[in-house]
């Protein structure tokens, strides 16, 4: 099983890119993770935020490979403990499909992206910078793989 993280936004700060790359390397054998950056919609004075979100949504949907299980990061989604995420990972492995995780833009996901997702995952009630969410998702996926592999990384 492989995973893809499709994220709206380009040019992560160096500390995010370095942290993500570290977890990406750690995940090579348990869950290879590819990052796909999607160009954000145009925002600013006199611009329509709904149009920007719609444009982003179309690009995100276009980046989703066929036959994959799609998980949208969404504040209204289901929150998981690390152990529960490991159980979800075991379930996903049993499906035999590759995974796609989606991170939206500043206003979240377009309605058609939410509708396309097979499930919705919340990292909790906090509003987080979307670049930071990339790093958190990579770390939590590594933690879930570690739990399943009885690796000492996770100590609870």
């Amino acid at each position: 099983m492989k995973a893809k993280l499709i994220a709206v936004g380009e040019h992560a700060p160096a500390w995010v890119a370095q942290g993500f790359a570290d977890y990406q390397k750690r995940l090579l054998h348990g869950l290879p993770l590819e990052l796909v950056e999607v160009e954000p919609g145009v925002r600013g004075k006199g611009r329509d935020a709904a149009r920007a979100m719609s444009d982003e949504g179309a690009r995100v949907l276009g980046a989703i490979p066929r036959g994959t299980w799609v998980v949208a990061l969404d504040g209204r989604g289901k929150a998981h403990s690390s152990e529960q995420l490991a159980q979800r990972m075991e379930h996903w492995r049993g499906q035999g499909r590759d995974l796609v995780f989606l991170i939206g833009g500043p206003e979240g996901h377009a309605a058609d992206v939410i509708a396309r997702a097979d499930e919705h995952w919340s990292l909790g009630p906090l509003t987080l910078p979307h670049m930071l969410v990339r790093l958190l998702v990579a770390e939590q996926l590594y933690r879930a793989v570690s739990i399943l592999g009885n690796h000492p990384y996770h100590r609870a």
Side-chain angles (χ1 to χ4, degrees), residues 20-137:
F20 184 87
D22 179 54
Y23 286 107
Q24 192 176 35
K25 184 177 177 182
R26 292 178 188 208
L27 280 164
L28 274 176
H29 301 292
L31 181 69
L33 178 63
E34 175 188 356
L35 174 63
V36 175
E37 292 182 314
V38 172
E39 180 183 351
V42 179
R43 289 174 173 77
K45 190 173 183 175
R47 304 279 186 173
D48 182 12
R51 174 63 188 256
M53 198 161 89
S54 176
D55 292 346
E56 292 165 357
R59 287 190 281 276
V60 166
L61 291 171
I64 299 172
R66 280 194 141 109
T68 55
W69 185 259
V70 178
V71 180
L73 276 289
D74 180 6
R76 296 172 303 255
K78 180 161 176 47
H80 302 291
S81 68
S82 296
E83 292 83 359
Q84 290 168 331
L85 183 61
Q87 291 172 351
R88 292 299 306 145
M89 180 76 66
E90 191 68 30
H91 170 77
W92 295 329
R93 282 182 176 169
Q95 289 182 323
R97 296 164 67 184
D98 288 339
L99 296 171
V100 174
F101 297 91
L102 307 177
I103 300 173
E107 289 86 18
H109 292 292
D112 50 350
V113 173
I114 291 294
R116 167 59 187 91
D118 297 301
E119 80 186 73
H120 303 88
W121 175 21
S122 172
L123 295 178
L126 296 173
T127 300
L128 300 167
H130 290 208
M131 290 292 178
L132 180 58
V133 170
R134 296 177 185 199
L135 183 53
L136 292 173
V137 167

